[in-house]
Amino acid sequence: MRLNEYPDIILDTIPKLYESHIKVFITSLYGMQEQVARLPKRFCKMYTTQTLAHQLHIYLSRRKANISMQDFHIVEEAEPFTIRLSDGKRLEVMLCAGNELGNSLMLLIRRPNGGRLLYYYSAVQQDDLCCLMGNTIYLEWIALGTEVLFLNLQAANQPFVHVDFEEVAKEIAEHSKDIDKEVMIKLPLFGYEYVVHRLAQTFALLGHIELLGSFSDNYSCLTPDQRYFNQPGYTTIVEVCSPENFDGEIYYPLHKLIWSPVPNRINLIQLCSLLRPLYINGIVSYHDKGIIEPVPTYLKRFKKGYSPKLKGIEIPETQLTHEHSNDNSPVGHSNTQAEQVSPTKSQKDGTTSRIDPFVFNKPKKLAFVDYDDDKD
């Protein structure tokens, strides 16, 4: 995806042709294998964190790509930095992790002098947004909201299903008992590390998951902490592998894991309510051929300046308060525009009738009497 106003910036897409001025920001590797089915001869400069750069470099090196760590510009999470575009303009940029593994990032872009964010980009599920609430730099950046919020709307209209990882782990363990062997789970190489991380911490599967092949190497790039996996003295219940490993095996259905890297509607609501954007735009994924999901109404309600509509007329939020009538007006009379409704004639008998308007009642004032002066 390329920003129209700043064409030097490309998001989560690796160009096939090299251009020295292009800056590619990698926020997630989900779906990256499909993108690089045909390898470019030379890679544009890629901005991302150390963990994602390490993952991508190992994968591309195995495929004999012409790549080195010099093709990456390594940045730290939640630490702003400045980029200079080919037209001389400067922008301030920050990458923030949306989960504890750090493999799902969000991109924030603003002008060097601060102010409202120009863009906020989030392409995958952000499961641990609460961790960012203690980051003062992040809070300072989003304090004034954002002009444009880019979201992945693929699952925006799907019903929300809560993921209880303990229940998912119990079902997997029971399935292992039924088949009397290890359960094989085949996952995409990128994007599903978080669900494996959470399942490994459940009561039913703690120490009983073994990571195999390239998936094990890929996961170790995110964290060296392997204490939840394949503990000595624990029988293996689950074996996790990537699609290129162990063809011909019977695998556990992926949909039974429930969790997906595609953001669910609650995650979308969290981001919209947190940022109060002026505009919400869908992200065009690499394989979607330009098809953008429309923004659902329940997300539009969080746009800055949005207000409910009354009889087709949009009313500013500042006017959705009690209207005060003139103090000299007679009782029961209101000088509000809402009550100035012209009478209409009935089509049957020609009699005149009045449409009852929606009236904002004047708040009553309590009269207090001072009894101190009424002394006997």
Side-chain angles (χ1 to χ4, degrees):
M1 176 179 164
R2 187 190 296 265
L3 297 181
N4 292 332
E5 189 174 353
Y6 304 101
D8 290 359
I9 298 177
I10 296 180
L11 308 177
D12 287 333
T13 302
I14 297 180
K16 300 302 181 187
L17 298 177
Y18 173 79
E19 295 180 78
S20 59
H21 63 277
I22 292 297
K23 295 172 175 53
V24 179
F25 287 87
I26 304 297
T27 67
S28 170
L29 299 182
Y30 175 60
M32 185 61 67
Q33 291 172 284
E34 291 80 3
Q35 282 198 45
V36 292
R38 292 180 56 191
L39 295 172
K41 293 182 178 180
R42 185 177 178 183
F43 289 85
C44 298
K45 182 67 72 174
M46 292 175 283
Y47 291 71
T48 189
T49 57
Q50 181 68 51
T51 54
L52 291 185
H54 194 193
Q55 278 188 318
L56 186 56
H57 180 258
I58 290 178
Y59 171 72
L60 293 175
S61 297
R62 286 175 177 171
R63 296 190 53 197
K64 310 300 181 182
N66 180 26
I67 191 171
S68 68
M69 288 303 294
Q70 299 299 321
D71 295 316
F72 294 94
H73 183 98
I74 306 300
V75 301
E76 298 294 332
E77 294 179 14
E79 291 190 9
F81 61 98
T82 303
I83 60 174
R84 183 175 181 177
L85 307 179
S86 58
D87 57 2
K89 294 181 180 179
R90 296 178 183 271
L91 294 173
E92 200 171 5
V93 182
M94 183 168 62
L95 287 170
C96 296
N99 68 27
E100 56 183 316
L101 286 180
N103 66 331
S104 61
L105 304 176
M106 296 171 289
L107 178 66
L108 291 71
I109 302 177
R110 72 177 186 180
R111 296 182 179 89
N113 57 354
R116 185 193 301 273
L117 291 176
L118 295 175
Y119 301 102
Y120 192 110
Y121 173 91
S122 176
V124 290
Q125 175 75 12
Q126 311 295 345
D127 290 277
D128 301 321
L129 282 175
C130 57
C131 296
L132 284 172
M133 295 300 99
N135 190 311
T136 56
I137 299 177
Y138 177 80
L139 295 178
E140 185 267 326
W141 272 55
I142 68 171
L144 299 178
T146 182
E147 293 186 10
V148 182
L149 173 60
F150 287 106
L151 295 174
N152 185 344
L153 301 176
Q154 293 181 22
N157 294 314
Q158 297 180 9
F160 172 72
V161 179
H162 172 67
V163 183
D164 189 335
F165 290 101
E166 290 289 347
E167 290 299 324
V168 174
K170 287 180 182 178
E171 292 184 7
I172 295 174
E174 291 175 0
H175 181 67
S176 177
K177 292 180 180 178
D178 294 339
I179 63 176
D180 195 24
K181 59 182 296 188
E182 297 86 357
V183 176
M184 292 288 294
I185 300 180
K186 181 174 67 174
L187 296 176
L189 185 59
F190 302 116
Y192 279 82
E193 298 93 339
Y194 182 80
V195 68
V196 175
H197 176 72
R198 290 297 304 272
L199 289 176
Q201 299 180 48
T202 60
F203 180 79
L205 296 180
L206 177 63
H208 298 285
I209 298 179
E210 183 178 1
L211 306 180
L212 304 176
S214 55
F215 193 93
S216 176
D217 299 334
N218 179 60
Y219 186 89
S220 62
C221 294
L222 298 177
T223 174
D225 187 3
Q226 303 289 324
R227 55 183 170 171
Y228 303 113
F229 300 99
N230 199 26
Q231 291 291 331
Y234 286 70
T235 58
T236 300
I237 297 178
V238 179
E239 293 179 340
V240 181
C241 65
S242 56
E244 63 269 19
N245 302 126
F246 308 102
D247 292 333
E249 293 282 346
I250 299 177
Y251 299 102
Y252 192 74
L254 186 60
H255 68 88
K256 288 190 175 183
L257 299 181
I258 304 177
W259 188 90
S260 169
V262 179
N264 58 47
R265 61 190 297 139
I266 295 301
N267 188 219
L268 298 175
I269 290 174
Q270 287 175 333
L271 287 170
C272 290
S273 61
L274 180 66
L275 297 167
R276 301 289 289 179
L278 295 178
Y279 304 98
I280 302 174
N281 292 341
I283 295 174
V284 181
S285 300
Y286 177 78
H287 57 278
D288 283 346
K289 299 180 181 180
I291 300 176
I292 305 177
E293 294 289 338
V295 180
T297 304
Y298 72 86
L299 291 181
K300 292 180 180 179
R301 300 176 188 274
F302 296 100
K303 293 172 60 177
K304 187 176 180 61
Y306 176 88
S307 60
K309 296 180 179 180
L310 179 62
K311 296 183 180 180
I313 302 175
E314 189 168 347
I315 301 177
E317 292 181 352
T318 54
Q319 295 185 12
L320 295 180
T321 56
H322 293 292
E323 294 287 343
H324 296 275
S325 61
N326 193 332
D327 292 340
N328 297 326
S329 301
V331 177
H333 173 77
S334 172
N335 59 356
T336 60
Q337 186 177 0
E339 291 190 66
Q340 296 176 3
V341 181
S342 58
T344 59
K345 291 185 178 181
S346 173
Q347 296 179 357
K348 294 182 179 180
D349 53 4
T351 59
T352 300
S353 62
R354 179 176 293 274
I355 300 176
D356 295 332
F358 182 80
V359 181
F360 294 101
N361 295 324
K362 178 181 178 181
K364 296 181 180 180
K365 296 182 179 180
L366 297 178
F368 294 93
V369 179
D370 189 359
Y371 292 97
D372 291 342
D373 295 336
D374 301 339
K375 297 182 180 179
D376 296 337

